[in-house]
Structures are given as C-alpha cells and as structure tokens.
Amino acid sequence: MIEALADFHFIRAAWLLFLIPVFAVWWLIRPRSERSTQIPDGIAPHLAQALKVGDTDKRKLNPVDGVMAIAVLVTLAAAGPTWSRAPNPLIADTAPLVIALKVTESMEGTDLPPSRLERAKYKITDLINTRSGARTALIAYAGSPHRVAPLTEDANILRPLLEGLTPAVMPLKGDAAADALALAQNILADAETPGAILFVLDDIDPSQVQAMNSAEADLLFLTMLPEGERLVQLDALSSATVAPFSTGDQDVTRLKRGIHNAYVDALDEEDQLDWQDQGWILAWPAALLSLLWFRRGWVIRWAFLMLFITHPSGHAWAEGWKDWFLTPDQQGQIAMNQKRFSDAADLFQDPYHQGYAMLKAGRYPEATEVFSSLNTPEAAFAEGMARIRNREYRPAIAAFETALERRPDWPEAQHNLEVATAILEYVETTREQSDTSEEAGIGADDTVFDNEGARGQDTTVQAQTEVAQPMSADQWISAIDTDMQDFLRNRFLLENQVQSQ
C-alpha cells in the first residue's frame, strides 16, 4: 500500500485545471441559492418562521452540491489517476520465474512419501498450473547447475523434463546453489521484465548462502522438509520469501503471492511499460451520486438530454449497458481476467491484445493473420508461436527468423527457431521413412522357418506387402519415443565437458 501511494500520480494532470471553474461555479451558485430562501426584512420573526417551508437552516446538501461533486469526480477520473504499470500481454501475465530444483541423493529421502524429490515435482507442477500464460524456466543442480528448459509458457514442455530429473542424471555430486543462482540470473537477464527465482531444496551449504545476499532478482525458497522443520541457514536472507512444505496448498499460494509481488515491483521499475489508468474507479461513486437526481426536488432535467446526446444512435443501446461505462478493450481485458479468451478476442480492438487472446483461445489461424499485419519483433514472435501450435512449421521458422531480423540476439526467438527447425526435420525424416517402408518390419523375400509344418526343412515364403500409408501429423509427434533420463544425462555430461574445456 505504501509503495502504491509513492507511485501515485495523474497521467493527464492538465485535466486538473478544470477543477478551477468547477469550484468557481460552485462558489457562485451555492450562496445565491441560499439567499433566495431568505425572508425580506420588516416581517416579524414569528411570522417569518411560519412562512418558511421546511427546516431550510438544517439543510446541508443542495442539488448543486451533488452536481459539483460529480463534476469533481469526473474531472479527477479524466486526469487519469494511477499507481501501477499496465502489463504487456505479449510479454507475460505474471513475472518470469526460474525454478532451481536440487536433484541430489538427499532429495530421495522418504520422510515425505514417496520421496522429497517426487513431492517437489508435484509442488512445481501445481505452481506451473496456477501460472497459466506465464513464462517459467527450469534448472536442475547438484554439484553443477544445468538449464533443463528455457523460459516458456507451455507447461507441456516442462512436465516430461521435470519427470526425467533424478540424481542419476546429474554428472557431479554436491551443492552448487550459488552457481545455479548465477545461471538463473542469466536466464532472467534475457527476459523482457525482471522476475523471480525459486529454489526447491531440502538443505543448502552455508557457504552458498552468502552469494544469495547479492541476488538481483527476488528470491523464493520452498523447503522440502517435514512440517515443523526449517532451514536455519535461510534466516540470514531477510529479503527472501521462505515457504515451508505443507500437505495442502498453503505453500503454493504463498509462493504465488511472492511471485506476484515481484511482478508488481518489476512493472514499477520498467519505464517502457505504460501506466495503468485507474480513473474508472471514480465512475462508481459518481454513478451513486447521480441517483440523487431522481429524488423529489433534486431532478436535473437536462441529465436525460445529455444521455441522448452522448448516445444518439441505436447501436449503443443494442450493445448493452456495459458500453456506457467500458470501452471494448476494457471489456476484453475483463474477459481475459476471467479466462474467457474467445470472448476477449471478439471484444478487443487493439490488435496486440486481440491476437494474444486468439492465441490463448486456440484460434491459431486468426491469430496468425492478426500478428502478420504488425511490423514489430513481438508480433513476429507471436506469429511463430501461433503457427508452430497450428503445426505450420515452415511458416513458423520464417516468422522466428523475421523476429530475429527485427531484434537480433533475441534468445527466446533463437530457441524457438531451433525447436521449430528440429521438429520440421524430424517430421520430414519420419515421413520419408514411412513412405519408403524402412520401418515396415518384415518385408518381401524375408526368410522364415516353420519346422513343424515342413518337418525341419527350410522354406521361403513371400510376405504380403501392403502399400505404406503416410503417417498423420499427430502420429509423427506421438511416435517420439525418447528415454528422457538418458537424454538429460547425456546433455548434462556434454555441458560439463564443454565448460571444462
């Protein structure tokens, strides 16, 4: 609350000048209305009291007071009060998060059945599910840290990689939490906005804690210990958020709140993001005050005239009452907050927000059409995401290349370009193998033996050949059969070899 007050200001402060004529009119009209109720001099006091209608001396609020109060509220709303930044829909819904998971033999302890590591995976999965639309990266560390997955919004990429993490895939034993912190900060350095780093661990070497004090990002810790136990080493980190493991969802809720606070702080420090206009809040008290117009003696007849002047056409009435108070983009944002992405796509007029809503709603062809009409690196990146989810791999590659042309050295775009290229190569290779029947198993002229039927004699049979049917796109993807643990083990070993050289 204190930070919000420190950031409070008006976006369009020049509108506050209209308060001067508002108060001037108020000052001139109110005394005149009071003098009109006074009894002329020369009348006896007891007769003057009898001639008065009502107890006007006790009347503190007049119709002009209500009108001027509404004018003040509307003027303040037009000035655009604000105290927080508006999020960019193409960047993230919440702060970027890097999860550093400790993968050691101690994490295989069974005091949290089935094991600390498995329960940690469950908690990470729950946290990812609550951050729908937000980017999350994954790091595994023991004696050395390794990036498992870059920042991504797709939870389906993180889950299989997370399941494949076991102490057996880690090339070195130990506790390199400080090195994991450095790797996490490098990942966040490439993000559009500052984010947070979450360590999921059961213990930490005291020598590693000192490096945590100099962390640039917000630090969070999820301690995988039985309820009631804590890590005393983390007491030295006064600015970190420590969430002890709980059998319920209290720990995940606390972590989510800490990540959200990190996002709010990041928006306040990000000058490239627009301030969020909060003037709409003042519309509610102004609307409540306007109800006084319908009281006897308070009716302002020109209010209905102004209503018809501001809404002269029948189209506005057909759209409903929301159009009187909210713009289409504001209605679209409300739908986005309620996760009604398809409705939001139909309501938004801003192309960025509209395309993003279409992408979230799974309307990939429409999102592609919107993003392709924009000439920004973010639009090209979003177009590539829409195309790759629609299994249009060649156009997706072209879109990511365009994004890199518009913003060179963009790590996320470079990573997605490599992923799209690898998928395209795999699909084409699988299609060629399917078309040439290289994986058909038994083929023509293969020799088989039937000792019972031929009494031990060798016989040659002609296997029936069938025309190989091309595999569908879904079959190509589902045909991937990779041992994730072997993949991670080999990749981590290769990374260590490269670093040692």
Side-chain angles (χ1 to χ4, degrees):
M1 179 61 70
I2 297 177
E3 295 179 356
L5 293 176
D7 294 332
F8 179 83
H9 66 281
F10 291 94
I11 301 175
R12 299 172 294 274
W15 282 84
L16 296 177
L17 295 175
F18 282 93
L19 292 175
I20 298 176
V22 169
F23 284 111
V25 173
W26 198 344
W27 179 262
L28 292 174
I29 295 179
R30 181 180 173 84
R32 185 177 306 168
S33 63
E34 290 179 352
R35 285 197 299 269
S36 62
T37 62
Q38 295 178 358
I39 302 300
D41 297 336
I43 300 179
H46 65 284
L47 295 177
Q49 184 66 29
L51 291 174
K52 290 183 179 181
V53 178
D55 195 356
T56 58
D57 293 337
K58 296 182 179 179
R59 187 171 184 176
K60 302 298 184 182
L61 187 63
N62 295 308
V64 66
D65 298 328
V67 174
M68 293 306 167
I70 294 173
V72 171
L73 291 173
V74 171
T75 302
L76 294 176
T82 183
W83 53 85
S84 61
R85 298 278 185 175
N88 187 333
L90 294 182
I91 295 177
D93 290 335
T94 57
L97 176 66
V98 179
I99 301 176
L101 175 61
K102 184 181 179 184
V103 186
T104 60
E105 294 180 355
S106 65
M107 288 288 287
E108 292 188 321
T110 58
D111 50 358
L112 295 179
S115 69
R116 296 178 179 179
L117 183 59
E118 291 302 317
R119 294 299 288 268
K121 293 177 181 179
Y122 298 154
K123 290 294 182 181
I124 293 175
T125 301
D126 292 340
L127 181 61
I128 294 174
N129 292 336
T130 62
R131 286 169 40 85
S132 176
R135 294 178 300 168
T136 306
L138 181 61
I139 291 175
Y141 76 94
S144 58
H146 300 275
R147 184 175 68 170
V148 180
L151 288 172
T152 178
E153 296 181 7
D154 193 350
N156 294 325
I157 295 177
L158 297 175
R159 291 190 187 100
L161 295 170
L162 183 64
E163 291 299 324
L165 290 175
T166 63
V169 307
M170 306 304 295
L172 298 177
K173 297 182 179 180
D175 185 357
D179 294 336
L181 173 64
L183 178 58
Q185 292 185 140
N186 290 336
I187 295 176
L188 288 178
D190 298 329
E192 295 288 341
T193 57
I197 301 174
L198 169 63
F199 280 87
V200 184
L201 44 75
D202 62 344
D203 195 8
I204 185 171
D205 193 318
S207 63
Q208 305 291 313
V209 178
Q210 184 176 1
M212 305 289 180
N213 288 317
S214 58
E216 299 177 357
D218 290 55
L219 290 182
L220 303 97
F221 293 87
L222 175 60
T223 57
M224 301 306 300
L225 296 173
E227 294 189 54
E229 298 184 16
R230 65 186 185 92
L231 291 180
V232 295
Q233 299 95 312
L234 299 180
D235 294 342
L237 303 176
S238 57
S239 60
T241 300
V242 180
F245 168 82
S246 64
T247 54
D249 58 355
Q250 296 89 342
D251 46 5
V252 175
T253 302
R254 184 174 181 180
L255 292 174
K256 186 179 178 181
R257 188 184 306 115
I259 298 169
H260 176 72
N261 293 336
Y263 180 58
V264 173
D265 295 340
L267 291 181
D268 291 340
E269 299 174 1
E270 185 59 54
D271 295 334
Q272 297 179 355
L273 298 179
D274 297 330
W275 289 97
Q276 190 169 13
D277 192 342
Q278 304 288 355
W280 64 271
I281 297 177
L282 298 176
W284 293 107
L288 292 175
L289 286 175
S290 67
L291 296 178
L292 295 175
W293 293 353
F294 300 96
R295 288 192 62 196
R296 183 185 296 269
W298 288 71
V299 177
I300 300 178
R301 301 182 184 279
W302 47 263
F304 295 99
L305 178 61
M306 292 299 297
L307 182 62
F308 284 102
I309 291 176
T310 55
H311 298 278
S313 63
H315 175 72
W317 289 90
E319 292 295 332
W321 65 270
K322 291 184 180 180
D323 294 330
W324 297 359
F325 304 100
L326 302 174
T327 66
D329 286 338
Q330 290 173 334
Q331 296 180 45
Q333 186 60 51
I334 292 175
M336 283 289 291
N337 296 340
Q338 297 174 351
K339 300 190 182 303
R340 296 185 290 109
F341 303 120
S342 185
D343 294 339
D346 296 332
L347 290 169
F348 274 127
Q349 291 183 348
D350 181 81
Y352 279 106
H353 290 77
Q354 184 183 50
Y356 181 74
M358 290 177 176
L359 181 61
K360 296 290 290 183
R363 295 160 58 175
Y364 303 129
E366 298 175 68
T368 298
E369 183 177 354
V370 172
F371 288 127
S372 61
S373 63
L374 304 174
N375 298 320
T376 62
E378 292 83 5
F381 182 89
E383 179 188 353
M385 292 295 296
R387 290 190 180 277
I388 199 171
R389 292 184 181 183
N390 201 37
R391 302 189 187 279
E392 301 176 16
Y393 303 118
R394 289 187 185 278
I397 292 173
F400 290 128
E401 291 175 345
T402 302
L404 289 172
E405 291 176 0
R406 296 173 180 174
R407 182 186 296 176
D409 301 328
W410 191 359
E412 287 82 0
Q414 182 63 40
H415 172 76
N416 287 353
L417 174 61
E418 295 173 358
V419 171
T421 303
I423 293 176
L424 179 63
E425 292 177 355
Y426 174 80
V427 168
E428 291 183 342
T429 301
T430 307
R431 175 180 291 177
E432 293 174 358
Q433 293 176 351
S434 176
D435 292 342
T436 57
S437 300
E438 293 182 6
E439 297 180 354
I442 188 171
D445 299 329
D446 284 347
T447 302
V448 296
F449 301 97
D450 186 0
N451 291 330
E452 294 181 358
R455 297 180 181 179
Q457 297 180 2
D458 293 343
T459 59
T460 302
V461 299
Q462 300 292 329
Q464 295 182 356
T465 59
E466 298 180 356
V467 178
Q469 298 294 330
M471 299 175 65
S472 65
D474 292 335
Q475 290 174 330
W476 295 333
I477 298 300
S478 62
I480 301 177
D481 185 15
T482 305
D483 190 334
M484 191 59 66
Q485 293 187 9
D486 290 342
F487 167 74
L488 292 174
R489 183 187 300 109
N490 294 333
R491 202 183 86 182
F492 293 167
L493 286 172
L494 180 60
E495 289 177 357
N496 273 0
Q497 293 176 0
V498 172
Q499 293 176 359
S500 62
Q501 294 176 357

